[in-house]
Each structure stands twice: as structure tokens, then as C-alpha cells.
Amino acid sequence: MKNNLEYRGVLRLCLIFLFSFFPPPYLAHFPHGHGFEVSTILLNQQQQISGTVTDPYGPMPGVHVLIKGTNKGTFTDQDGQYSLLVGNTDTLVFSYLGYHNRELPVLGRTTLDVEMQSVVTELQEVEINAGYYTVKERERTGSISRVTAEEIALQPIVSPLEALQGRMAGVEVVQQSGVTGLASSIQIRGQNSLRNSRTDNGNLPLFIVDGVPVNSKPLRSSGALTGLPGMDPLSSLNLSNIESIEVLKDADATAIYGSRGANGVVLITTKRGYKNDGKLRFEAKLYSGISSIPNRVKLLNTEQYIGMRKNAFLNDGVEPTERNAPDLLWDQQRYTDWQDVFFGGTSEVTDTNLSISSGNETTTFLLGGSYHTEGTVFPGDFGYNKITANFSLNHSSKNQKFHLNLSTNYGIDNNRLFNSVNLINYALSLPPNGPSIYKGDGTLNWEDWTWGNPFSEIYKPQEIINNSLLSNMGVSYEFVRGLKIKANFGYSNLDNKEVIKTPKLAYNPLTWDRVNSSSTHSFVQRRSWIIEPQLEYGGSFGKFDVNTLAGLTFQSSQNDLLLSVGNGYSDESLIGNLAAADETRTNVNENIEYNYNAIFGRLGLNWDNTYFINLTGRRDGSSRFGPNKRFSNFGAIGAAWIFSEETFIKKHFPILSFGKLRGSYGTTGSDGIPDYGYLDTYQPTPGPGGLYPTQLTNPDYSWETNRKLETALQLGFIKDRINLGIGWFENLSSNQLVGYPLPATTGFTSVQANLPATVRNTGWEIEVSTINLNAKNFSWQTFLNFTFPETELSEFRDIEQTSYRNRYKVGHPLNIALLYQYDGIDPETGLYKVKDINNDGKYNFDDRTVVKNMGRDYYGGLSNNIRYKALSLQFLFQYVHQNNFSYMTTLTAPGTYGNKSVDILDDRIGSEGVGDIQKLSQLTTANQAYSNAIKSDLAISDASFLRLKTVSLSYQLPSSLLSKYEIQKCSVFVHAQNLFTITNYNGLDPQVGQVVPPLSTITCGVQLNL
């Protein structure tokens, strides 16, 4: 009997061990104190399971409970409870917005309680993409900010950069125009280079899409977009296919990218397929709505305008004539609001996105596509269209040693537009009693418009077509436990074609015998490839964890530009076909090649998940420097201490749930300069057989150097219900790579060189997240970020001997305006006065002694996520404190031809100035006084604003209704962008001034998962 008992005991232990690692599908439960009653467990036995879903603060209503691999599921009730008919082999998936999904097997249980973990509070589980590696949010030593797919999906936008506005500390994104497809500007912790352009390579961050570097420099236009930032090469991406956008800011996070990371790094990661037991998962999202320009400038009506003009002539003692006052001869009862005529329309917006995904334990795939179309707020047949396709494949071997990741993104966007800048100027300046645009027969009215019909602009269409392909493949193999060999292969191709047509219809018929129909053509192609072999090791030795990475980069790119012009088309319908032109010429033909190689490495050390050190380094080589200056070294060290893990802290500060102190220091560089700048260059002379020099050689200039320092403190209170992050940074960018000015006698304006100048960027970043309420039916989360930046030109030896003396001042920010000092209104003349500082009787840059910071003093964002049962509301406020040039800089002097702001309505202005408005006059002296005034500090206005950037309201339909139609999830939503702006700025927009402001958009849509 004893032997039998021992035998049965050994058998039971063996079965327990076997079933622990290889549980049979019919195993339902282990009865305590008994043997295995296997015969009583039936395959796929149906039973009722119930439970309560909670988070650390109580029951959670509205949690989606789904049987994995099916469309069957339910939602928790007001008390967080659920009940569902399941099988023994089923797995339940618990999901809720803002929380990590939980997958738990039934295993014969009739009761299953679940605690959900918030993605905000569970720092240990959130993984951040750092490019060459991933790191848990809790353990990162560098400064990395992240925007997720859920936040991106709330915004009816086209460019990925627009999704970052107001959501990240230290990241400044400005939508420079409301014209769809134009590039937004981005600066990460300020401007580092003296190349004073937000869209210059010297100030742009590095953009990487699924491991492929992308040349994000805007595509400049030769026509209607002159003066605007150019087309955005990232706009061809499908925003619905973006999983996350990470922004790397400090030296610890960016040094592994070397020179490419001098201005920060933006990592865009697209979505992958889902493991769904081999079953197809279908997702569809559709929204449609309208956009419009949200603001108008208050202008004079006809009666007010005519009164202003007559008073001006009366003050001057001049008789109005057809030549000097055609507006006073037009119908003085006619009134047209030109803002409504030129940009008062509504643009229809439609976006459709479809995707199919599936996968099992070893292979997943996702195939998707989208179509986006927008109209225009301007008159005419113009608009924007985009079609995208994306595919991703992820495969791993059964033993998980081999991994393959493939992603491809393709997009075509077609933008048909015209010179909207001119149309905005017309709308704000045309007299309100101006004649009709069209004649009775529908043709343009030229006779009554003395200088030309403003609608002629819409007869000069510009069509821009982009074709963009981004493809990446990554493979890895684990030889032994912890040791992997990896390789990343990437390819990108961008084809840009632009055609500008100028028919005779765009000119006054009286000049048709002197003008020709013409067209301008530009062709841009950007091609690049990258190969990065890598070796990675990670292992644990007791409490000590080590992660190492070493790799090589081989990158090459080719940029081609061809600019051609055709003149003299015999038929208007042939315009644009160069073969039909009487004359063609090639203005520009460029072929530029850029090569870049590097070796990089990383060593990450972790002791007891409490102390962390991260060492990164890179040696770069760039073809943009001379043979003796092509290589340079960059590196950084980052460290973090999670002091909340210390016994003393746990014992004496129980309210502190998380505490981390981190810091970093390192160097990055920059080669963001034109190619071949170190060589002598020549161009052919207009006549045959000759060459003339266009550039001086300088093979000795070298890399810019950017030294970055940061320290930060992160705190979590009351089980991370309140999270606070405070960081201070300092970036010093020296050895500035800009054109060194030369005397005109040399025959050249500048030569590429390193200037003895240093730019200092410093500031504070504050991030706060709170869980304000988390009741049965109601939850409320708040996220706040604020940045206090400070930029200055800290050093520039002998700046007074260079032309930069008229652009920069040592000790002041880079983005400044050098202005005259306003001195009020002259009591004798009634006109504006500015001070003649050196009393030489003339006004020039020597008198511009007033320095005004035109950058942001501070900025931030405040977002809230509110849930009531199945109803969710998210909204984001963006705040910026800044100056800008006032509306008066786009006006002419009070009393002169052209409409004015209602601010000049004051009876006292007639014969003498009052307040900040000079007297009404159209004399040359008045115009000169006004010209000086708008170059003084009088023209600077407070352009601070608070903007409701995004609003999203969504409702998730109940599963009881959806299950009848085998629908897994369905939600309806309303999204809005730029709903209103609170500001004292008197103009169209406090951020972009008097160009097309960001549009206000409202859309409604539905999202469906099958």
C-alpha cells in the first residue's frame, strides 16, 4: 500500500510538471487535495464566467471584454462587473482606452477578477523607441517624448508634425500656413545654427521612418509658394498607419546618431499586424467635414473708407483725381467684404482608411490604404488629394531566434494651388467699394481695375505631384542566449513634379500682343539607401544587467533638380507640354550626391533596476567636408537613479510611489550644409566656350559641435496618481558653419567657413500628469507641459566687422528684430517720429538700437481625457507667449489708397495724429513717416494666444447591439481642430501673421472593427 501511494505521488508530481509546461486543451482546473479528474473535463465545454474589473482606484465601467479570435464580447457595467458565456479553451481580452490590454485564459474558471494598469501610471511596462534600441519608460536615462496612435487619431490633419503641436515640452512646431501640404517648422530645444531658417538643414532634426532616414527639407517652389516654407515631404505618409512618434532631445538620446542628431531626432513608427489566431481582422475609419479660415480682420466699410480718403485729401489740400484717387470715383454706395470673396469659402474634407491584418504566434501582417481629399477656402478649382498604401510583415522562427520585419509605405499626393499669399493681401487691402471682379458675360473685368484684376491669380494654376516610397527590412538572429546579429536595410525615393501655367487669360487683354503664354516645370528626385549591420548582447548577472550594441552605417543619397521654362504656346490647351512651346530653356540642372559612413556603439548598465548608466558613441564621416576634415567623434553619457527603490524612501515617504533623478552630457555635431562647399565651382558663360567662378574653395572648414547638458527629476505620488517631471537643459553650439561674408571687391559675397560664434540654448521643461477622478462611471485625466526656453548668441568675435551685425546681437536671442525707437507723434506735423540716435539726419541700421525678441518666451499645452460610461471627450489647449509684427506692417499709411483697420476710426485723426495713429494724409512725407514707424518698436505687438487646438468626442456602441451583426467594435466620433483662439493680436493669426492661417476644421466619422 505504501509503495502504491509513493508511486501515485510521483506520478502526480510528474503530471503537474508536464501539464505546467504543456497544458492539454481539455485541462480545466486542478482540484485541491485530489487527483486529476481529467475524465470530467470536456473539450470546449461552455460555461458562464463573471467577475469584476478594477484599477488601483476602484471598479471600471465600460471595459471591453472580448473572447479572443471572435467577435463575441461584452462591456462591464456601472459596477465594473461582467458576465459572458465562454468555453474552457477560450482566452479573454480586456481592453480600455488609456490602459494596457490584459489577456487571460478561462481554464475552466467561473469567476475571473481583473485589475487593469494605466499606461500613464505603469511606468515599468511602457516601452519607448530610442531608434537603435528600446527602453522602458521607467529606466530611460535620456529625454524622450512620445505621442501615440490614439492621440494622432484625434486630429484631422495631413502632416505628422502637426500632431506634435502643444503635446511635448521642448518641441516647438509651427504650422506656417493653412495651405494643405505645406511644411510645418519644428525646433527641438531651440535654434542651434546661425543659418537662420526653420526649414534649413542646419536647423532641422533628423527624421527616421521605420529605420529609414528621410530628407525632410521642404520642397521649394519656383512659383506660387515663393515666400512660404515649401511642400512637406512627410505629408505623403498615412497618419492612420502611424503607431507612435518619439522625439529624442538630449545628448544621451541623440549622440548615437552622431552628427545627424545635432538638432534632435524624430522617430516615426508605423503599425504592425496583430496576432489573431490566423483570423483576419478588418478595420475601417471614415470621416468627413469642413474647414474654414477661423478669423477675420475688422476693416472699414464703404462709408468709413470714403470718409477716411476724403479727409486725407482735405488735410493735404489736394484735389482728388482719376489718377490719384480712382476709388473716390467708383460707386460710393457699393460694398464688398473682400475677405468673404477671397477666402470666405469652406473646404470639404474626406478621409477613408482601410486595413486588414492577421497573424499567429510566428507571423503577422498588415495591409492598408487610405484616401484623403480636401477642397479650398479660396475661389477656383483647387484642392489636395492623397492616396497611400502600406504593408508590414513580421516573422519569427518557432524557437524565436530568427526575426524578420518588413515595412513599406507608398504615397501619392496631388496639390493644385495658386498664389494664396497675394490673394490674402488683396482681401485685406482692396477698397470696399471696388468694382465687380467679373463682367456680365462672365469674363474678368479689367477696365475698371486700374492696375489689374486681382482674380487673375487664380488663372495661374500650380500643380505639384509627389510620389514617395519608404521601405525597410530588418533581420536578426540570436546565436546564443542574449547575443544577436542584426541588419537594417532601408530605401527611400521621392519624385516631385511641379508645373506652373500662365495663360494669356491671366493678363489684361490690352497687353496680349506683348505677352506669351508660358509654363514653368521643375523635377526633383531624392533617392537614398542605408545599410546598418549590428551586433547586440544583453545578459543578466545576478542583480547586474548589461546591454551592448555595436554597428556600422553606410548611407548614400542622390538629389537631382531640373528646372525648365516654356514660352509661346499657340493654343491655351497645350500649355504645359514643352514640346508645343515656341521656346524652351533649362535654367537649372543639378545632380548632387551625398555619402555618409559611421561606426557606433552603446553600453547600458543596470544594477538592481535602481542604478542605470548609458554610454553611447559614434564616429562619423561625411562627404560634405574636405579630405582632411571628413571624420569626427561624438559621444554621451547618461545616468539615472530610481531613488524610490531605496529602503529609506519606502519607509519614510510612502506617498512617493516613484522617484528618479537622471542626467546626461555629451556632444553631437552637424554637417547640415550644402554639398561640395569646399570646392571651387564654375558655370558656363552665356557666350560659347567660357567658364566663370561661382564659389571659392575652402577645404579646411569642419564640423559644427553641439555640447548638450541636462538634469531632470521625475516624481510619482499616491500610486502614480500624480506624476511630475522637471528638467533643465543647456546646449552650446559652436564652430558655426555659415557663409563668411567677403568684400565685394573679391567677386564673391561669401565663402563657406567656421565662424567664431557660439549659440546657447537653455531652459526648463515641466510635465505633469494627474488622475483627477476615477469613479464607477466617470474618469478624468489631465496632462500639462510647459517650456521656458532661452536662446542667445553668447559669443561672436568681431561681429561688428561682418554683415551679421545687422542681423544678430551678442547676448540676445537669434530670432530678433532690430528696430528704430518710436518717439511718438510729432505735434507739428501730426506724423510718426522715430529717434535719430546718432543725429546724422538720416535713418539706417546705426539707428536701429531697439532689440525685440521675436521668438517664444514660453509655451505649453494642457490636455484632458474625460470618460463617462461609453462616452469619451478629449481636448487640448495650446498656449504661446510671444511677440509678432502687428497688422500695421501690412497696411499703408492712414489716409492712403487701400482699406485699413477700424482702429483708425477717431474723429481727432483728421488733421492731427492721436494716440498711436498719425494724421490722415497721402503725401510722400506721410508715407515715409509711416515706413519708418513700421520698422520701429511701435510695430511689435503682443501675439500671445490660447488656442483650443483639438477636441474629440466619441461614443462606443454597446456590444449587445454589435454582437447581432458580428461586429467587434464600433465608435462614432466628432473631431475638431483650431476651434477658437483667444488673443489680443489684431490680425489674421498671431502665429503666422497675414498669410493663410491654420484652418478651423470639424469632422464627423465612424470607426469599425470586424
Side-chain angles (χ1 to χ4, degrees):
M1 183 69 175
K2 180 179 179 181
N3 291 336
N4 289 338
L5 290 174
E6 290 178 352
Y7 171 78
R8 291 174 60 187
V10 172
L11 178 61
R12 180 178 298 177
L13 289 174
C14 291
L15 289 173
I16 291 174
F17 179 83
L18 179 64
F19 290 157
S20 296
F21 289 92
F22 307 99
Y26 50 81
L27 183 60
H29 60 281
F30 298 150
H32 296 288
H34 300 281
F36 290 106
E37 303 293 339
V38 176
S39 61
T40 64
I41 303 174
L42 301 178
L43 184 65
N44 289 329
Q45 178 180 340
Q46 296 291 302
Q47 64 188 53
Q48 199 77 15
I49 190 172
S50 61
T52 304
V53 180
T54 61
D55 66 3
Y57 312 104
M60 290 185 61
V63 176
H64 191 209
V65 185
L66 177 71
I67 300 176
K68 187 176 180 180
T70 72
N71 295 323
K72 298 179 181 179
T74 186
F75 288 91
T76 56
D77 62 17
Q78 297 181 359
D79 298 318
Q81 297 178 355
Y82 72 94
S83 180
L84 193 61
L85 185 64
V86 298
N88 292 325
T89 61
D90 288 339
T91 297
L92 297 184
V93 180
F94 298 81
S95 62
Y96 190 80
L97 180 64
Y99 287 76
H100 292 288
N101 289 356
R102 296 288 306 273
E103 294 190 12
L104 298 171
V106 174
L107 296 179
R109 289 176 286 193
T110 58
T111 302
L112 179 58
D113 296 332
V114 178
E115 183 175 358
M116 303 288 284
Q117 296 292 335
S118 170
V119 297
V120 177
T121 61
E122 195 184 15
L123 298 175
Q124 177 67 29
E125 298 301 324
V126 179
E127 281 202 345
I128 303 295
N129 180 17
Y132 290 106
Y133 59 96
T134 59
V135 61
K136 293 179 180 178
E137 164 67 25
R138 183 179 189 272
E139 300 173 356
R140 65 179 173 89
T141 56
S143 180
I144 304 175
S145 296
R146 187 170 188 252
V147 169
T148 63
E150 289 78 9
E151 295 170 291
I152 298 172
L154 301 177
Q155 307 175 61
I157 54 179
V158 168
S159 170
L161 292 186
E162 295 174 29
L164 308 182
Q165 288 183 292
R167 297 183 181 273
M168 292 182 177
V171 180
E172 179 183 347
V173 178
V174 178
Q175 187 179 348
Q176 299 179 90
S177 172
V179 177
T180 304
L182 293 192
S184 298
S185 71
I186 178 171
Q187 286 185 357
I188 300 174
R189 291 184 169 176
Q191 178 182 329
N192 295 313
S193 175
L194 291 181
R195 292 184 291 283
N196 191 21
S197 170
R198 293 175 177 269
T199 54
D200 188 278
N201 273 349
N203 285 304
L204 282 174
L206 170 66
F207 286 84
I208 296 180
V209 180
D210 287 340
V212 182
V214 176
N215 184 350
S216 58
K217 185 176 181 179
L219 294 156
R220 292 290 183 177
S221 169
S222 56
L225 300 181
T226 301
L228 291 177
M231 303 304 297
D232 185 0
L234 296 174
S235 63
S236 56
L237 288 174
N238 177 11
L239 266 67
S240 295
N241 187 45
I242 294 178
E243 181 66 30
S244 66
I245 302 177
E246 275 91 356
V247 176
L248 284 54
K249 297 182 282 189
D250 73 327
D252 176 72
T254 61
I256 197 170
Y257 290 95
S259 63
R260 301 180 301 169
N263 302 306
V265 182
V266 178
L267 303 173
I268 300 176
T269 305
T270 60
K271 294 180 179 179
R272 298 182 176 183
Y274 302 91
K275 294 180 180 180
N276 201 26
D277 295 332
K279 298 179 181 179
L280 287 177
R281 174 175 174 175
F282 176 80
E283 294 187 8
K285 181 180 178 182
L286 168 68
Y287 68 77
S288 183
I290 57 173
S291 299
S292 61
I293 289 182
N295 188 33
R296 297 288 189 275
V297 177
K298 295 181 179 179
L299 301 173
L300 301 176
N301 60 31
T302 299
E303 181 182 359
Q304 295 163 340
Y305 175 80
I306 296 298
M308 174 200 71
R309 290 285 283 152
K310 289 182 177 180
N311 283 335
F313 280 97
L314 184 63
N315 293 338
D316 298 337
V318 176
E319 186 71 23
T321 66
E322 183 177 358
R323 179 172 182 149
N324 62 19
D327 49 339
L328 293 183
L329 300 180
W330 292 335
D331 184 355
Q332 299 188 14
Q333 302 301 317
R334 179 183 176 87
Y335 171 71
T336 302
D337 186 342
W338 293 114
Q339 295 181 85
D340 281 342
V341 172
F342 286 102
F343 57 75
T346 56
S347 167
E348 295 184 358
V349 181
T350 300
D351 186 280
T352 303
N353 183 78
L354 304 174
S355 69
I356 298 175
S357 66
S358 185
N360 51 32
E361 294 302 319
T362 60
T363 305
T364 63
F365 79 90
L366 184 146
L367 176 65
S370 71
Y371 174 70
H372 183 96
T373 180
E374 293 188 23
T376 178
V377 297
F378 301 104
D381 182 21
F382 302 96
Y384 175 86
N385 296 278
K386 177 172 71 172
I387 299 176
T388 70
N390 56 273
F391 174 74
S392 71
L393 175 68
N394 302 276
H395 174 74
S396 59
S397 59
K398 289 185 178 180
N399 60 8
Q400 297 297 306
K401 288 183 175 293
F402 174 78
H403 293 272
L404 181 145
N405 302 312
L406 174 67
S407 68
T408 300
N409 294 275
Y410 181 70
I412 303 175
D413 59 350
N414 186 325
N415 209 341
R416 182 176 168 85
L417 60 158
F418 62 99
N419 198 326
S420 57
V421 176
N422 282 353
L423 228 58
I424 292 290
N425 292 336
Y426 283 136
L428 300 180
S429 62
L430 289 180
N433 65 327
S436 175
I437 293 293
Y438 293 100
K439 294 181 179 180
D441 59 2
T443 60
L444 289 178
N445 178 12
W446 293 96
E447 296 179 1
D448 293 325
W449 289 98
T450 58
W451 73 97
N453 193 304
F455 256 42
S456 63
E457 297 293 341
I458 69 174
Y459 287 87
K460 304 174 185 177
Q462 175 178 8
E463 187 169 20
I464 302 175
I465 301 175
N466 282 329
N467 285 266
S468 176
L469 172 67
L470 293 170
S471 186
N472 171 263
M473 182 176 70
V475 293
S476 68
Y477 184 79
E478 187 176 21
F479 284 101
V480 295
R481 184 176 179 86
L483 180 62
K484 292 181 180 179
I485 184 170
K486 304 166 60 178
N488 181 63
F489 307 88
Y491 177 77
S492 68
N493 186 85
L494 172 67
D495 290 328
N496 174 268
K497 178 182 178 181
E498 175 188 35
V499 179
I500 305 171
K501 300 179 181 180
T502 307
K504 285 188 176 182
L505 287 175
Y507 300 98
N508 191 320
L510 297 178
T511 66
W512 282 5
D513 60 337
R514 303 191 301 272
V515 298
N516 289 317
S517 299
S518 64
S519 63
T520 302
H521 305 252
S522 67
F523 304 90
V524 176
Q525 185 176 48
R526 296 176 176 176
R527 302 185 303 276
S528 70
W529 57 263
I530 185 171
I531 300 175
E532 291 186 308
Q534 302 169 44
L535 190 64
E536 182 182 293
Y537 174 76
S540 299
F541 305 91
K543 294 184 177 181
F544 187 60
D545 293 342
V546 177
N547 289 281
T548 61
L549 172 70
L552 301 170
T553 297
F554 304 95
Q555 182 181 345
S556 180
S557 64
Q558 179 102 24
N559 295 323
D560 300 330
L561 170 62
L562 177 64
L563 180 61
S564 302
V565 176
N567 279 309
Y569 289 93
S570 58
D571 192 312
E572 301 282 285
S573 63
L574 297 176
I575 298 177
N577 181 0
L578 288 175
D582 294 339
E583 175 195 9
T584 62
R585 67 176 185 271
T586 298
N587 289 350
V588 180
N589 190 356
E590 293 181 350
N591 303 99
I592 298 174
E593 185 175 353
Y594 168 65
N595 293 298
Y596 169 88
N597 296 330
I599 180 171
F600 59 89
R602 170 184 180 257
L603 174 62
L605 305 174
N606 168 7
W607 176 262
D608 198 23
N609 291 322
T610 303
Y611 307 97
F612 303 87
I613 295 179
N614 191 43
L615 302 170
T616 55
R618 192 177 186 106
R619 179 170 175 80
D620 284 355
S622 171
S623 64
R624 288 175 176 155
F625 298 100
N628 298 326
K629 302 290 184 178
R630 285 191 172 160
F631 293 91
S632 190
N633 301 320
F634 309 99
I637 179 171
W641 171 36
I642 303 181
F643 55 84
S644 56
E645 292 296 313
E646 304 292 346
T647 304
F648 176 82
I649 299 295
K650 291 181 178 179
K651 180 178 180 181
H652 295 282
F653 299 93
I655 193 175
L656 185 69
S657 52
F658 180 77
K660 180 171 74 172
L661 183 66
R662 61 177 177 84
S664 66
Y665 176 77
T667 61
T668 56
S670 176
D671 68 343
I673 55 175
D675 295 274
Y676 314 127
Y678 62 92
L679 297 173
D680 281 323
T681 59
Y682 299 84
Q683 283 188 357
T685 59
L691 294 173
Y692 68 94
T694 58
Q695 178 178 282
L696 285 177
T697 181
N698 180 13
D700 295 325
Y701 64 78
S702 61
W703 303 72
E704 281 186 4
T705 302
N706 195 327
R707 301 187 300 276
K708 298 184 177 184
L709 174 67
E710 179 184 40
T711 182
L713 176 67
Q714 292 177 252
L715 300 173
F717 300 96
I718 317 174
K719 295 183 179 181
D720 292 344
R721 187 163 187 147
I722 301 174
N723 290 279
L724 171 65
I726 301 176
W728 174 85
F729 66 89
E730 181 184 61
N731 299 343
L732 295 174
S733 184
S734 57
N735 217 26
Q736 290 283 327
L737 274 170
V738 291
Y740 190 85
L742 295 176
T745 55
T746 64
F748 300 90
T749 57
S750 66
V751 61
Q752 189 71 51
N754 295 103
L755 287 186
T758 299
V759 176
R760 178 176 180 265
N761 281 287
T762 186
W764 290 89
E765 296 175 358
I766 300 174
E767 295 177 316
V768 180
S769 66
T770 63
I771 300 177
N772 306 313
L773 291 172
N774 204 341
K776 293 181 180 180
N777 298 321
F778 186 81
S779 65
W780 175 20
Q781 293 177 314
T782 299
F783 306 87
L784 170 69
N785 71 82
F786 234 82
T787 305
F788 298 88
E790 196 174 309
T791 301
E792 71 170 359
L793 180 61
S794 60
E795 181 185 1
F796 196 147
R797 294 196 306 272
D798 301 323
I799 188 175
E800 294 299 326
Q801 308 304 317
T802 72
S803 62
Y804 292 104
R805 65 187 290 268
N806 296 332
R807 187 187 304 179
Y808 303 115
K809 291 292 182 182
V810 175
H812 291 277
L814 298 186
N815 188 10
I816 59 174
L818 299 176
L819 306 163
Y820 298 128
Q821 182 178 341
Y822 177 62
D823 197 27
I825 294 179
D826 190 324
E828 296 181 3
T829 64
L831 303 178
Y832 291 131
K833 285 197 309 178
V834 296
K835 285 191 175 182
D836 181 4
I837 300 298
N838 54 13
N839 294 315
D840 62 354
K842 56 185 178 180
Y843 296 101
N844 52 35
F845 270 101
D846 292 333
D847 300 305
R848 296 193 178 189
T849 58
V850 178
V851 181
K852 286 287 186 179
N853 179 18
M854 305 305 291
R856 296 182 173 188
D857 296 318
Y858 49 88
Y859 57 93
L862 175 66
S863 63
N864 286 270
N865 295 343
I866 301 173
R867 174 191 57 83
Y868 176 71
K869 295 183 179 180
L871 192 67
S872 297
L873 173 66
Q874 292 88 23
F875 57 91
L876 168 68
F877 282 98
Q878 178 191 17
Y879 179 75
V880 175
H881 190 275
Q882 64 181 3
N883 291 322
N884 202 347
F885 289 98
S886 69
Y887 176 55
M888 71 176 294
T889 59
T890 62
L891 298 174
T892 52
T896 57
Y897 179 92
N899 210 349
K900 308 290 185 290
S901 168
V902 294
D903 291 342
I904 71 167
L905 292 179
D906 194 310
D907 293 339
R908 297 172 295 169
I909 297 176
S911 58
E912 61 182 25
V914 59
D916 288 333
I917 301 176
Q918 70 177 21
K919 76 172 185 178
L920 303 179
S921 173
Q922 47 94 49
L923 297 178
T924 301
T925 53
N927 283 319
Q928 185 59 53
Y930 190 83
S931 177
N932 289 338
I934 62 177
K935 299 171 187 174
S936 74
D937 51 341
L938 175 65
I940 303 301
S941 171
D942 178 13
S944 304
F945 66 89
L946 177 67
R947 176 170 290 162
L948 182 55
K949 191 64 186 176
T950 61
V951 180
S952 177
L953 180 65
S954 64
Y955 177 74
Q956 189 164 292
L957 275 63
S959 60
S960 58
L961 174 64
L962 301 178
S963 60
K964 298 179 182 178
Y965 305 98
E966 298 186 352
I967 298 174
Q968 181 177 333
K969 180 182 177 181
C970 181
S971 61
V972 292
F973 58 83
V974 178
H975 292 167
Q977 190 88 348
N978 303 319
L979 272 189
F980 65 81
T981 301
I982 300 175
T983 181
N984 291 325
Y985 182 75
N986 185 17
L988 275 180
D989 185 80
Q991 204 161 223
V992 301
Q994 315 312 320
V995 299
V996 185
L999 302 183
S1000 177
T1001 304
I1002 300 177
T1003 61
C1004 301
V1006 59
Q1007 182 168 348
L1008 184 68
N1009 293 358
L1010 299 178

